[in-house]
Amino acid sequence: MAKNPATANHIVNCLGRMGPLAAPALPLLREQLAQPRRGGRFQSIDHDEELQRVSRTLIARLDPPAPAGPPTSPSTTRSGCP
C-alpha cells in the first residue's frame, strides 16, 4: 500500500478478512487515513471513500475504544461541616 497505492483497496479488504491478525497493520491504516489523498484503485473518489470507510470500520473493530468506567459518585461530605 505504501509502495503501490493502487493496491490500497485490495489490501484493506484482505486485512478485513484476516480479523484480529491484522492488528499489526493499525499504524499503516491510520497513516493512510491521515493522508489528504490516497491512491486506491484508479484514484477515483468512490474508491477513496470506500477505502476510508473500510479502514475506519477495520480500525474500530481491531482497536475499539476503552469502555467507560463506572460513574463517580458525588462527594459524601456535607457543606458547612467542619
Side-chain angles (χ1 to χ4, degrees):
M1 197 158 57
K3 291 183 181 182
N4 185 356
T7 63
N9 292 85
H10 297 294
I11 290 172
V12 170
N13 287 325
C14 181
L15 290 170
R17 290 189 303 271
M18 289 175 61
L21 295 174
L26 282 167
L28 178 62
L29 292 170
R30 289 186 177 109
E31 177 185 312
Q32 287 295 310
L33 286 176
Q35 293 180 7
R37 292 184 85 176
R38 285 148 298 280
R41 288 184 298 209
F42 313 114
Q43 296 186 353
S44 75
I45 292 172
D46 291 336
H47 288 130
D48 183 53
E49 288 175 349
E50 176 190 355
L51 177 63
Q52 291 180 62
R53 180 186 53 76
V54 173
S55 294
R56 286 188 180 99
T57 300
L58 187 54
I59 289 169
R61 192 172 55 198
L62 294 173
D63 191 22
T72 57
S73 60
S75 177
T76 56
T77 60
R78 290 183 269 176
S79 61
C81 293

